[in-house]
Amino acid sequence: VEEILDYNLNDVKATKVFYELTKDKLDLRKGLLVKYGLDCLNFPDSKIGEQLMLKLYCKYTEQDEDQIKRKRTYRNLFKFSECIPDYIKFNTPEFNQLFDYIKSIEVTELKESFKYSFEYNGFTFDLGTGGIHGCVKSGVYQSTNTETIVDADVASLYPSLGITLGLYPEHLGSEFSKIYEEGIVKPRLEAKRRGDKVAAEGGKLSANSVFGKSNSEYSFLYDPLYTLKTTLAGQLALCMLSEMLMTRVPDLKMLQINTDGLTVVIPNEHKRLYWDICKEWESQTNLVLEYVAYSQMIIRDVNNYVAVTQKTNKIKYKGTFKPNAEMRQDGEYHKAFNQGIVSTAVNNYFLYDKPILETLYECKDIYEFCK
């Protein structure tokens, strides 16, 4: 009995520690109950966003939640040519060949319906129904006295495309787009400015989950055409920016392109030209770019790299390079804390020129070695 009680006490203590570590996530859910009447204590993030959107939509349209929850839009034909924004245009044969191919696609099922790869100026672009990817070969890339690594990401890409293009699930009508912008996206930005964490974080979850749930048959947001229009527009817009930069900025080198942004190496003498082209693209697409300059990037592939910001020396870890300590700091307890010593040792080697074995022998935390 004493052994069992000791075991139980250990569980209770561990649960209490975890409660303290995730208190901000629980506080958010409690705050949403007070602010919106949304009882979401046990909801995952994506469900919070979906349910908050449901509440706001029904309040605005004065419709019953149970009735709206049953609605879906099913599709039996997808014409890709009907999903392309008017502002998309290309000037080179390689990009126009991609464009012509996409416009020709007609399918009855979206899954695995679209994959396309092509090379331009030595860089390979990979497109698909899920998003766009591309990366130089693995290695260490650094800014120098003559050139700079610059990353440009589209701010809130999928929510922004939904608003600028006026997209909405067909069964919810055009008012959905207005509610999405006026009820979620704008209030979220305002809440962020005034420091209202509950409204800001709730809005962020809602803004992001609307796109994700539009492709789930289990959600009232389901309309796969909404999903396709969003992903196609994002990929083609980034291809358009890539072509503009690669054809007009002398000696520019592409390092990466990924879902919502791209990373390039620019000769310092052409920074102004790069900036002007990006501004031109923003005015054409109504999207907004956010920039960061890196002093170096250690790249394995498009989803796994380390980047050091130029001015602040802040380190951005992506994918397998992210150490356990960083995952804990970001509250990512749902991820695998698997052999954390590996990422630590690799990062120390590349960032601080520290021998691998030195990191291994210095570490006294047995959990960093566990699988």
Side-chain angles (χ1 to χ4, degrees), residues 180-213:
Y180 187 46
E181 181 177 7
E182 301 293 334
I184 288 181
V185 177
K186 281 186 178 177
R188 184 221 159 193
L189 295 173
E190 289 163 9
K192 195 176 178 182
R193 278 194 291 270
R194 68 173 182 268
D196 182 346
K197 288 186 178 180
V198 170
E201 192 60 27
K204 181 182 177 182
L205 295 178
S206 298
N208 291 331
S209 67
V210 164
F211 165 76
K213 291 291 185 178

Side-chain angles (χ1 to χ4, degrees), residues 321-370:
F321 285 95
K322 194 164 188 176
N324 286 351
E326 290 286 324
M327 289 202 291
R328 291 189 189 98
Q329 188 176 304
D330 292 342
E332 296 174 345
Y333 297 103
H334 57 291
K335 294 187 177 178
F337 290 79
N338 191 39
Q339 296 182 147
I341 192 64
V342 175
S343 57
T344 303
V346 171
N347 289 328
N348 285 346
Y349 174 79
F350 281 113
L351 296 173
Y352 310 113
D353 203 25
K354 189 172 185 174
I356 295 287
L357 284 176
E358 205 173 301
T359 299
L360 297 184
Y361 284 125
E362 280 180 4
C363 181
K364 304 302 178 189
D365 181 358
I366 190 64
Y367 292 112
E368 288 292 286
F369 295 84
C370 290

Side-chain angles (χ1 to χ4, degrees), residues 225-355:
L225 187 63
Y226 178 101
T227 317
L228 179 64
K229 284 183 175 180
T230 307
T231 56
L232 267 189
Q235 292 180 83
L236 288 170
L238 284 175
C239 278
M240 195 167 99
L241 177 60
S242 300
E243 187 196 53
M244 290 167 73
L245 292 170
M246 293 173 87
T247 55
R248 290 162 59 182
V249 180
D251 300 318
L252 175 141
K253 295 189 284 283
M254 287 281 292
L255 290 186
Q256 291 186 333
I257 187 166
N258 195 4
T259 310
D260 60 355
L262 50 88
T263 312
V264 299
V265 181
I266 317 166
N268 292 339
E269 61 187 302
H270 299 310
K271 279 184 181 178
R272 170 52 61 182
L273 177 59
Y274 167 86
W275 172 261
D276 289 341
I277 292 169
C278 288
K279 286 293 158 193
E280 181 187 332
W281 179 86
E282 285 180 329
S283 67
Q284 291 172 351
T285 61
N286 287 319
L287 299 172
V288 177
L289 291 169
E290 297 174 333
Y291 307 90
V292 59
Y294 294 130
S295 57
Q296 66 171 326
M297 289 185 77
I298 297 96
I299 299 173
R300 191 184 85 177
D301 53 55
V302 73
N303 292 313
N304 299 278
Y305 60 85
V306 186
V308 184
T309 56
Q310 200 169 55
K311 288 184 178 178
T312 61
N313 284 327
K314 185 179 177 183
I315 301 170
K316 176 184 178 181
Y317 301 99
K318 184 80 172 175
T320 192
F321 285 95
K322 194 164 188 176
N324 286 351
E326 290 286 324
M327 289 202 291
R328 291 189 189 98
Q329 188 176 304
D330 292 342
E332 296 174 345
Y333 297 103
H334 57 291
K335 294 187 177 178
F337 290 79
N338 191 39
Q339 296 182 147
I341 192 64
V342 175
S343 57
T344 303
V346 171
N347 289 328
N348 285 346
Y349 174 79
F350 281 113
L351 296 173
Y352 310 113
D353 203 25
K354 189 172 185 174

